[in-house]
Amino acid sequence: MNMIKTEIFHEAIKNKIKVRFYYNLNEQIMEPYFIFVEEDGTKVLYGKSNNGKKKIMKFDFKKIANIRLLPNEHFTPIIPTSTQLN
């Protein structure tokens, strides 16, 4: 099941397409940026949610369900930068 999720998100990231899914039973529409496997083996998705917050959020793959690509809704990734990191 995780592989199917990975393939859907990979397609969305590659083509910069927004996705819709349910996370903890709440609908999310988001711009997926990248998939990451944490040290404990947990697979997570990072991206910007359209829930009004302007920051990048982390979503646990295990809590994501009912993923749909939104092929008519493209985006341009916005990666925040900090002068403290330079």
Side-chain angles (χ1 to χ4, degrees), residues 49-60:
S49 178
N50 287 356
N51 66 1
K53 296 182 179 179
K54 299 290 185 191
K55 64 180 184 174
I56 295 174
M57 299 176 64
K58 177 172 75 170
F59 299 90
D60 184 340

Side-chain angles (χ1 to χ4, degrees), residues 38-75:
E38 297 189 328
E39 288 183 16
D40 66 359
T42 304
K43 190 181 280 191
V44 295
L45 172 72
Y46 284 89
K48 192 175 88 168
S49 178
N50 287 356
N51 66 1
K53 296 182 179 179
K54 299 290 185 191
K55 64 180 184 174
I56 295 174
M57 299 176 64
K58 177 172 75 170
F59 299 90
D60 184 340
F61 255 62
K62 290 180 184 177
K63 297 177 183 177
I64 296 173
N66 198 22
I67 309 160
R68 296 288 180 259
L69 294 174
L70 302 175
N72 294 327
E73 295 191 39
H74 291 268
F75 66 92

Side-chain angles (χ1 to χ4, degrees), residues 8-17 32-33 75:
I8 293 170
F9 285 121
H10 176 73
E11 181 73 16
I13 293 166
K14 182 175 109 182
N15 294 308
K16 297 176 179 65
I17 300 171
Y33 287 174
F75 66 92

